[in-house]
Amino acid sequence: MKKKSNLKFIRLNKFIALSGHCSRRKADDLIIRERVKINGIICSKLGIKVNINDLVTVDGKSIIPERKQYILLNKPKGFTIKNNSKGKNALDLLKKIEEKLYPVGELDDDTSGLLLFTNDHELLDKLISPSFKLKTIYSVRLDKAISKSDIELIKSGLIIDKKKISVEKAIKLENDNEVGIEINGNKNKIFKTIFKTINLKIIKLDRVMIGPLTKKDLPRGKWRNLKNNEVRNLKSLLN
């Protein structure tokens, strides 16, 4: 490869990660296992730089760098994030987005609210890692009023099937049948278990906050790009 302007050269693992194929760490693994070629020649050396116009392939498939996308969607109820589902897919709401995006965590079909999508695999891998506890806040509407004692019970933790299930915070909202709950990590499936145990049924479950991101000025079914400072704030949580 002829040397050109250094501004056009980037590390091979970053080149692969920019395509959305995988994270840099996984790209390094592909390189070591000799599954990557540069202009038809196998590359197994880590740290090598390539020109942005070079032909890079992984397992024979061309890799094209994409710009990183960070999309916040206010998902309506009834939309899924599972590709093999026959229902309405949340990705169909992201019109005019050409890059392949991946959801940060899960959000059940019958749960509405904020859902973050990105093709930044380094950020994605860290945010969904079991070791990283991303703060999320939900608004829960119940079939009847919730008592103060129930709130305290939820806050202190419930023993269900010999396992303690707890949340970070639980606050009664203005309406007697609504409560705000903060959890860390991707464990929204615990809500049904919690409220079923205290004989309450969930009518509506809505995620209103992910880390520093809120639903402000984002109508249901609509999406927006994260601002540069929001992306920086998200990444700062990982340091």
Side-chain angles (χ1 to χ4, degrees):
M1 292 176 284
K2 293 182 180 181
K3 188 173 181 180
K4 300 180 183 179
S5 170
N6 288 332
L7 294 176
K8 292 185 178 181
F9 281 78
I10 59 175
R11 287 183 178 273
L12 179 57
N13 62 354
K14 182 177 180 180
F15 186 102
I16 296 171
L18 286 173
S19 73
H21 186 82
C22 63
S23 67
R24 291 193 198 187
R25 182 178 297 178
K26 290 182 179 178
D28 283 338
D29 182 59
L30 293 172
I31 294 167
I32 292 172
R33 293 163 61 188
E34 299 187 346
R35 293 169 59 183
V36 180
K37 290 183 179 180
I38 304 173
N39 298 326
I41 301 173
I42 292 175
C43 176
S44 58
K45 183 180 179 180
L46 297 179
I48 193 169
K49 290 187 177 182
V50 296
N51 187 282
I52 58 173
N53 295 315
D54 283 331
L55 174 61
V56 177
T57 60
V58 175
D59 297 330
K61 181 180 178 181
S62 297
I63 295 297
I64 302 174
E66 295 178 318
R67 65 190 180 103
K68 290 183 180 180
Q69 291 272 21
Y70 308 89
I71 302 295
L72 187 65
L73 169 71
N74 188 348
K75 186 184 86 69
K77 182 178 179 180
F79 281 78
T80 183
I81 61 171
K82 298 175 183 177
N83 291 327
N84 58 354
S85 175
K86 295 181 180 180
K88 295 178 289 185
N89 197 302
L91 282 169
D92 294 336
L93 297 169
L94 306 183
K95 298 177 181 178
K96 298 181 180 181
I97 301 295
E98 297 179 355
E99 290 82 2
K100 185 175 182 180
L101 301 179
Y102 303 86
V104 177
E106 299 181 358
L107 202 61
D108 292 341
D109 303 10
D110 57 357
T111 302
S112 59
L114 295 180
L115 188 56
L116 182 62
F117 289 89
T118 186
N119 58 355
D120 183 339
H121 281 270
E122 286 190 285
L123 179 64
L124 176 66
D125 288 348
K126 291 177 181 178
L127 289 177
I128 64 176
S129 170
S131 62
F132 180 72
K133 304 300 183 183
L134 182 65
K135 180 181 77 171
T136 55
I137 296 178
Y138 291 77
S139 172
V140 188
R141 184 185 300 166
L142 304 164
D143 63 332
K144 53 187 176 182
I146 183 169
S147 66
K148 290 184 179 180
S149 59
D150 284 336
I151 293 286
E152 293 303 317
L153 187 60
I154 293 172
K155 289 165 64 175
S156 63
L158 296 164
I159 304 299
I160 302 173
D161 294 330
K162 298 181 180 180
K163 183 179 179 181
K164 186 175 182 178
I165 296 180
S166 58
V167 302
E168 299 305 309
K169 294 180 182 178
I171 303 173
K172 194 171 183 178
L173 302 179
E174 290 184 8
N175 295 328
D176 289 340
N177 64 332
E178 292 185 356
V179 58
I181 292 185
E182 177 186 323
I183 61 174
N184 283 336
N186 185 40
K187 53 181 182 180
N188 61 80
K189 295 183 184 295
I190 68 172
F191 288 110
K192 289 181 180 179
T193 303
I194 288 175
F195 289 103
K196 182 179 180 180
T197 302
I198 57 177
N199 297 315
L200 292 171
K201 181 180 178 181
I202 296 175
I203 302 300
K204 181 181 179 182
L205 182 60
D206 189 47
R207 182 153 66 188
V208 298
M209 190 170 183
I210 301 176
L213 306 173
T214 71
K215 294 200 307 177
K216 183 180 179 181
D217 300 324
L218 187 61
R220 189 81 74 208
K222 301 297 182 180
W223 62 270
R224 67 173 178 84
N225 291 289
L226 293 193
K227 299 174 183 177
N228 290 336
N229 67 303
E230 290 176 320
V231 175
R232 287 195 298 269
N233 288 340
L234 265 182
K235 291 184 176 182
S236 70
L237 297 175
L238 307 174
N239 297 329

